[in-house]
Amino acid sequence: MSVQPQPWPQPDPQIAAAVRMMYSGRREAPLAVQVRDRLGELFPDAAFADGFGRAGKPGWSPGRLALVTVLQKAASLTDRQAADEVRENLSWKYALGLALKDPGFDHSVLSEFRSRVVAHGMEERVLDLLLERLRELGLVAAGGNQRTDSTHIVAAVRDLNRLELVGESVRAALNALAAACPDWVDQALVVEDWSRRYADRIDTWRLPSSKTKQDELALHYAKDGYLLLEALYAPVSPAWLRELPAVQTLRIVLVQNYTRTPGGGGRLRIRRRERAEDGGDGLPPGPIRLASPYDTDARWSAKRDLFWNGFKLHVSETCHPQVEGDRPARPNIITNVATTASTLPDTKALEPIHQALDRRRLLPNRHYLDSGYPSAELIVGSAKAYGVALITPVLLDTSRQAKAQEGFAAHDFIIDWDNQQAVCPAGKTSTTWNDVVQEGVAKTVVSFAALDCIPCPSKDQCTNARSNRRRLSLQPRELTEAIQAARARRQTGDWNRDYALRAGVEGTIRQATHTTGLRRARYRGLAKIHLDHTTSATALNLIRVAAWWNGPPSTAPTTATSPGSNSPSLHDSWN
């Protein structure tokens, strides 16, 4: 399929007249009409040309397919329903510049379009284009305030326990091999026996209830899996079959869940891996442990009382202090969405978020976050690298004294960084100052003399160490001072009132999950899911901007015509 970038056609006069009559007076125009009138050719074909060939049969305009995808998310439609809207809905025809008799396209075109976008790394293109347009209109800009929070996303696959996972992995590999090379399957396997065991999906309801029989079945699945791999890696088997994704997934699942050790008679003994505390060989850590053979990016994760299989979504948006009875000068705009593995800590996601905002020239001055995001390194690094102040309740001191609120915590000591000394609350000066590396992190260990600590009347409040001396483990000076300053600011009433601005991001996440259905992934694979998230963020931004456009007339923005058009837009005629 080829694409020759062309300007979008102007709305058909017949359709424009009909829409003008339907939405004249006080009636609010549909989102599609407002987007075309206010923003014009929002997604030009040239922005997507890299994902399409220059020769071959001409395809549908990728820019207009992008707009269809965004409108589809705004209305929470399936592909088939969106294709029907293109054929039947006058407002969509108006926005796309289609003639009244235009037949539209088959719904499968939308899936092909998304696949091309993902294949060429353009998952964020629609959001980038909208944000750039809004930046030109002055509706979003660098500086000011932004807030970020994360939420869980459930994968579009069935939840599997370990027994089901292994059986489904064998079944998925067999199905892939039967589709790719049925002749090899007929020659290498006893098809009747394998079909009887793996014809139906592996389901808990069909499995034996006895724990002993389940353990036996788990080893049986493993033996079948290893037997299948041995046949694939035999010299007479085509080498390309081993590279099938389902086969590679089977290999990983077997390695993560079983061990093979030499046994009697030259045989290999197969055993299930168990948790290390149970005396087994240990399961792999959560970030690399596969949860489904059908989506190898999905991971099991837990947060407090929530346990899910899927991903995590981080949403960043602009925010303005709300003045009662007044409307903000700009709408709140989603500036970034980041889709990550569910096991990735929020702290690890903050730097990529700032990088994305920097690329879009939308870095804030103040970034409001919950306590899961910050660290001393990020507080200092964000200010240095991006000029962003993190407004966040940093984690409190976790030492025994601080948690008990009794005795002397680290912040009760006076640290003299220049002279490399510390003075305790009793007035004693430290005797050693050593720079060390603890678990890969640079620290400074400060120790006091035992002769000072033993007779001290406050010793019980200070330390119970066997060495009878107090030690402090300090981060580098810049980090220590930054975290102490952040903790001190948190104790003020002004900080608490200011930090209340962060709470609004919870409403944004609710709007995203309820309007566009983001809670459950519609696709498989991190890249496709991220495309769905950026498209949804673009749709939410259009909904918000349209609501802001339709605010009180006294504060409504000036009218605009469609770029490249010499004729007034429908918006002009309505105002």
Side-chain angles (χ1 to χ4, degrees):
M1 184 170 61
S2 66
V3 167
Q4 299 297 328
Q6 298 290 337
W8 290 15
Q10 290 301 315
D12 183 275
Q14 189 177 5
I15 294 177
V19 172
R20 184 181 298 110
M21 292 181 63
M22 287 189 293
Y23 299 101
S24 60
R26 296 182 177 272
R27 293 191 63 188
E28 182 179 315
L31 177 64
V33 174
Q34 295 189 56
V35 169
R36 181 60 193 263
D37 281 346
R38 299 276 192 169
L39 303 178
E41 187 178 339
L42 182 56
F43 306 125
D45 290 347
F48 300 89
D50 293 343
F52 298 84
R54 298 292 183 180
K57 182 181 179 181
W60 236 73
S61 162
R64 288 192 279 177
L65 285 175
L67 180 58
V68 170
T69 304
V70 171
L71 295 176
Q72 172 188 3
K73 293 302 299 182
S76 191
L77 303 176
T78 64
D79 287 353
R80 192 180 297 275
Q81 290 171 330
D84 290 341
E85 289 293 296
V86 172
R87 280 189 294 270
E88 302 167 2
N89 193 319
L90 290 183
S91 63
W92 286 41
K93 285 182 177 290
Y94 178 90
L96 299 169
L98 300 179
L100 187 61
K101 296 182 179 180
D102 193 293
F105 51 79
D106 186 79
H107 70 277
S108 61
V109 171
L110 291 173
S111 176
E112 295 173 3
F113 170 71
R114 290 191 298 267
S115 296
R116 281 184 174 268
V117 168
V118 169
H120 290 82
M122 297 187 290
E123 296 92 342
E124 300 191 357
R125 189 64 51 87
V126 291
L127 183 58
D128 288 342
L129 290 170
L130 175 62
L131 291 174
E132 180 62 26
R133 185 76 177 99
L134 296 180
R135 202 169 63 83
E136 293 172 357
L137 296 175
L139 297 181
V140 66
N145 304 323
Q146 290 191 33
R147 53 197 177 196
T148 297
D149 201 4
S150 63
T151 189
H152 67 284
I153 304 297
V154 180
V157 292
R158 189 163 52 97
D159 292 344
L160 304 174
N161 57 36
R162 289 181 61 196
L163 179 58
E164 292 173 316
L165 173 63
V166 178
E168 273 298 315
S169 298
V170 177
R171 179 171 173 266
L174 282 172
N175 289 337
L177 291 168
C181 191
D183 292 340
W184 180 88
V185 174
D186 291 336
Q187 296 171 7
L189 304 175
V190 181
V191 176
E192 183 179 351
D193 294 343
W194 287 79
S195 297
R196 184 171 59 254
R197 289 196 294 270
Y198 298 103
D200 298 324
R201 75 177 190 179
I202 310 301
D203 197 304
T204 301
W205 298 104
R206 299 188 180 96
L207 299 178
S209 58
S210 167
K211 178 67 167 57
T212 302
K213 291 185 177 180
Q214 287 185 5
D215 291 341
E216 293 175 355
L217 186 59
L219 294 178
H220 189 70
Y221 286 152
K223 291 176 181 178
D224 285 348
Y226 283 119
L227 180 62
L228 182 59
L229 291 178
E230 289 172 1
L232 285 167
Y233 280 83
V236 296
S237 297
W240 62 272
L241 288 178
R242 309 164 194 167
E243 305 303 322
L244 292 175
V247 173
Q248 295 302 313
T249 299
L250 175 60
R251 291 180 62 247
I252 296 173
V253 168
L254 291 176
V255 169
Q256 291 184 347
N257 289 275
Y258 296 90
T259 60
R260 290 202 300 177
T261 55
R267 294 183 178 181
L268 292 175
R269 183 183 179 187
I270 301 175
R271 296 182 59 185
R272 296 184 74 185
R273 292 184 183 270
E274 301 296 342
R275 292 181 177 84
E277 58 266 24
D278 295 336
D281 296 282
L283 292 169
I288 64 172
R289 193 188 311 165
L290 297 188
S292 171
Y294 304 110
D295 189 345
T296 55
D297 292 330
R299 295 290 185 271
W300 284 106
S301 187
K303 184 176 182 180
R304 294 188 288 273
D305 58 345
L306 179 65
F307 189 52
W308 81 98
N309 177 26
F311 307 87
K312 192 182 289 186
L313 171 65
H314 303 262
V315 179
S316 303
E317 67 168 350
T318 60
C319 53
H320 312 282
Q322 185 66 41
V323 179
E324 187 175 354
D326 194 10
R327 187 181 71 159
R330 296 170 177 167
N332 290 342
I333 299 297
I334 297 175
T335 54
N336 186 71
V337 287
T339 310
T340 69
S342 62
T343 52
L344 185 74
D346 290 350
T347 303
K348 300 294 184 181
L350 187 58
E351 176 66 18
I353 290 173
H354 282 161
Q355 291 175 357
L357 293 175
D358 188 28
R359 175 177 59 82
R360 294 184 175 120
R361 295 176 290 175
L362 292 176
L363 279 170
N365 292 333
R366 296 161 63 82
H367 199 169
Y368 292 77
L369 306 159
D370 65 21
S371 59
Y373 285 95
S375 66
E377 293 83 354
L378 286 173
I379 291 174
V380 173
S382 297
K384 276 187 173 182
Y386 305 107
V388 176
L390 302 186
I391 312 301
T392 172
V394 295
L395 296 178
L396 298 178
D397 190 348
T398 57
S399 65
R400 174 181 62 85
Q401 298 89 340
K403 288 192 293 186
Q405 296 184 349
E406 295 179 355
F408 304 130
H411 60 263
D412 295 318
F413 290 71
I414 300 174
I415 310 300
D416 185 351
W417 295 94
D418 295 329
N419 295 317
Q420 297 188 344
Q421 289 180 334
V423 179
C424 75
K428 301 298 182 180
T429 302
S430 61
T431 56
T432 62
W433 181 285
N434 297 317
D435 294 326
V436 300
V437 177
Q438 296 178 348
E439 298 180 355
V441 179
K443 294 288 185 69
T444 297
V445 176
V446 182
S447 300
F448 290 81
L451 293 178
D452 289 333
C453 292
I454 292 174
C456 180
S458 302
K459 177 178 177 296
D460 293 339
Q461 296 178 281
C462 189
T463 182
N464 55 8
R466 293 182 179 180
S467 61
N468 288 319
R469 62 167 63 187
R470 178 64 186 267
R471 285 192 176 91
L472 301 177
S473 181
L474 305 175
Q475 292 179 306
R477 177 177 184 175
E478 192 174 28
L479 304 184
T480 300
E481 292 177 346
I483 207 74
Q484 289 177 347
R487 287 170 178 163
R489 285 193 297 269
R490 184 180 174 182
Q491 305 305 315
T492 65
D494 290 342
W495 185 93
N496 291 324
R497 286 190 292 271
D498 180 35
Y499 182 69
L501 188 61
R502 189 212 70 89
V505 73
E506 305 286 353
T508 296
I509 290 177
R510 178 175 176 83
Q511 182 188 25
T513 55
H514 284 66
T515 301
T516 63
L518 286 185
R519 179 65 69 209
R520 291 187 174 274
R522 298 180 65 176
Y523 312 106
R524 296 173 182 173
L526 190 63
K528 282 190 176 183
I529 295 173
H530 183 52
L531 171 62
D532 188 48
H533 291 169
T534 56
T535 306
S536 298
T538 306
L540 292 176
N541 280 340
L542 290 178
I543 292 172
R544 291 179 169 199
V545 171
W548 188 82
W549 282 333
N550 294 301
S554 59
T555 58
T558 56
T559 60
T561 58
S562 300
S565 172
N566 295 322
S567 60
S569 67
L570 291 183
H571 174 76
D572 292 326
S573 65
W574 295 329
N575 291 276

